[in-house]
Structure formats: structure tokens, C-alpha cells
């Protein structure tokens, strides 16, 4: 059974700092991995999707990498801003023949102080 | 930009009552999902739906739950006889195709069972 773990559980940084959020998964046989942002009491906003054949994806100040063989992904946030404060969720999708469901980690709560 | 919408944003009900949660997926999407998030816990997959039938469901999705696409735009989750433990945030999601696509999530419906 696929398990997704995110470290750290919470992170507080001063504005402007570069930071890395970590995601690990127990079964390396994944189809893709998606990073989401969740604001308190709100829905999930998709940030980046990495296919299993890719090593990284970039969007603005965000860069996500994937090392499938070791079961790890990182989300790098450059020049953090107070508006980046949110919970960041990592989710993996199993191989195609096992359906479309996403398996989520518990998230990293990020606070960027001004 | 197209988005998934959900109504109501908050539903309060008495234990044993039936509730229907509504979702309008992105208009040209073909695959639909329900997830839930109990307060303080991970987002969990409930069910996926394609071509007017359930394609996959989790062990949480028992006989108390059902899904329906009653017309060309709505996608509903019905809980027949709510329990206290059904209190959670329920998210609807959709994708255009199977597999490789980003899953787009709605803002959620917070269900409170008293």
C-alpha cells in the first residue's frame, strides 16, 4: 500500500529565504506526482505535476524535482513571500492500471514571516 | 480560467439525515472524483467516475455513499444516513483524460454532522 510522507510537518522562515519541502513515497511505481497548495479552510490549488518520466518541473519561483527510484520529490520555493504561507501537499498517482486516485501526504504547513 | 465549483460551501445536518453534495466539474472534463479530508487528517480518495459509472472506489465508500451525474454538468455525492464520523471537508475534482492529467479540485463543502 502506497504511503506518502512529508517533512517537515511545519516550517517558519523569514521573507526572502529559499526553502525546500520534502515528499517521500514507499512504492516507486508511480504514474505521476502532483504538488498542491491549500489555504486554511479552502480547496486545493494545483502547483506542479511531474510525470514519472520527468525529473523536474518549474513554474515561476517554484521548482519540483522527482527521483522516482528513491521515492522522493522536493518542492523548492525561491525568494519566499508572506503570500506563500499555506499548507503544501504532495500526492502520487499509482500506475495507470491501478486507477486514477491520488494518495496524499499530510502536508507541510509553511509560514513566511514579513 | 475554468474551475470546479461546489455547493453548498457548508452543510450542517443531523445524524441519520441524507445529504447531497453538489459539484460542477470543468465543462470538457470526463473523469470525476470525490475526496474527503477529516479535520487534521490527510486528504483521502473516495470514488472516481467515468462514462456514467464508478471506475474505482475506496473502502470508505460503502453502501451509505452514492454518486450520480444527473445531467450534463452536475456531479453529486449522496450520503444516505449521515454519521458523526462523516463530518469532513468533501472535495470534488475532475480531469480531462485518464492518467497523465492534472486533477483540478473544487473549493470543498464542509459537512458538519450533529
Amino acid at each position: 500500500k502506497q504511503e506518502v510522507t512529508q517533512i517537515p510537518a511545519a516550517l517558519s522562515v523569514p521573507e526572502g529565504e529559499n526553502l525546500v519541502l520534502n515528499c517521500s513515497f514507499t512504492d516507486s511505481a508511480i504514474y505521476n506526482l502532483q504538488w498542491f497548495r491549500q489555504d486554511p479552510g479552502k480547496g486545493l490549488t494545483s502547483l506542479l505535476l511531474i510525470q514519472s518520466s520527468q525529473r523536474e518541473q518549474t513554474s515561476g519561483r517554484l521548482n519540483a524535482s522527482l527521483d522516482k527510484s528513491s521515492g522522493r520529490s522536493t518542492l523548492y520555493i525561491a525568494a519566499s513571500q508572506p503570500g506563500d504561507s499555506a499548507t503544501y501537499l504532495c500526492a502520487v498517482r499509482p500506475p495507470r492500471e491501478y486507477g486514477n486516485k491520488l494518495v496524499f501526504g499530510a502536508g507541510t504547513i509553511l509560514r513566511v514571516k514579513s | 480560467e475554468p474551475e470546479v465549483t461546489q455547493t453548498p460551501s457548508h452543510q450542517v445536518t443531523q445524524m441519520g439525515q441524507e445529504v447531497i453534495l453538489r459539484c460542477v466539474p470543468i465543462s470538457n472534463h470526463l473523469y470525476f472524483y470525490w475526496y474527503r479530508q477529516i479535520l487534521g487528517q490527510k486528504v483521502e480518495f473516495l470514488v472516481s467516475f467515468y462514462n456514467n459509472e464508478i471506475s474505482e472506489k475506496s473502502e470508505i465508500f460503502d453502501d451509505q455513499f452514492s454518486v450520480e451525474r444527473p445531467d450534463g454538468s452536475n456531479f453529486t455525492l449522496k450520503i444516505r444516513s449521515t454519521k458523526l464520523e462523516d463530518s469532513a471537508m468533501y472535495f470534488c475534482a475532475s480531469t480531462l483524460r485518464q492518467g497523465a492529467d492534472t486533477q483540478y479540485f473544487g473549493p470543498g463543502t464542509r459537512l458538519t454532522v450533529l
Side-chain angles (χ1 to χ4, degrees), chain A residues 13-96:
Chain A
V13 300
E15 182 177 5
E17 197 160 292
N18 301 325
L19 56 101
V20 174
L21 308 181
N22 296 291
C23 172
S24 61
F25 42 96
T26 53
D27 186 348
S28 62
I30 65 168
Y31 197 66
N32 58 42
L33 182 146
Q34 204 166 338
W35 281 95
F36 293 88
R37 168 187 173 134
Q38 184 176 30
D39 292 285
K42 300 292 174 85
L44 281 63
T45 301
S46 180
L47 298 173
L48 290 163
L49 172 73
I50 311 179
Q51 304 298 344
S52 61
S53 58
Q54 296 175 322
R55 300 285 282 181
E56 65 179 317
Q57 282 286 331
T58 298
S59 175
R61 294 183 293 109
L62 305 180
N63 175 277
S65 67
L66 175 64
D67 183 345
K68 202 176 87 155
S69 61
S70 67
R72 292 180 189 171
S73 176
T74 60
L75 179 67
Y76 175 83
I77 302 177
S80 58
Q81 302 169 358
D84 295 330
S85 299
T87 298
Y88 290 81
L89 300 175
C90 164
V92 299
R93 208 205 130 208
R96 186 171 187 166

Side-chain angles (χ1 to χ4, degrees), chain B residues 56-67:
Chain B
E56 187 181 3
K57 60 183 182 179
S58 72
E59 56 238 21
I60 302 168
F61 194 88
D62 62 21
D63 292 344
Q64 292 298 315
F65 292 90
S66 62
V67 289

Side-chain angles (χ1 to χ4, degrees), chain B:
Chain B
E1 184 176 315
E3 58 183 18
V4 177
T5 60
Q6 290 185 244
T7 54
S9 57
H10 191 188
Q11 172 102 38
V12 180
T13 190
Q14 296 291 325
M15 192 169 54
Q17 295 297 304
E18 174 184 287
V19 294
I20 298 176
L21 309 183
R22 291 183 166 78
C23 168
V24 178
I26 294 173
S27 63
N28 62 338
H29 284 191
L30 301 175
Y31 295 83
F32 314 115
Y33 313 86
W34 285 101
Y35 292 82
R36 79 173 185 189
Q37 185 178 33
I38 295 170
L39 189 63
Q41 297 187 22
K42 293 182 179 183
V43 176
E44 305 172 284
F45 169 78
L46 292 178
V47 66
S48 60
F49 190 86
Y50 169 69
N51 200 25
N52 275 322
E53 60 182 29
I54 291 173
S55 47
E56 187 181 3
K57 60 183 182 179
S58 72
E59 56 238 21
I60 302 168
F61 194 88
D62 62 21
D63 292 344
Q64 292 298 315
F65 292 90
S66 62
V67 289
E68 192 178 30
R69 188 150 163 84
D71 54 41
S73 59
N74 289 284
F75 178 50
T76 62
L77 174 69
K78 181 193 289 187
I79 309 175
R80 285 190 185 78
S81 178
T82 50
K83 308 185 190 82
L84 295 176
E85 55 265 35
D86 293 328
S87 294
M89 192 77 148
Y90 288 80
F91 295 108
C92 174
S94 69
T95 57
L96 176 59
R97 299 166 301 183
Q98 187 181 17
D101 283 359
T102 297
Q103 286 194 19
Y104 292 92
F105 281 70
T109 292
R110 179 165 298 286
L111 176 65
T112 302
V113 182
L114 303 176

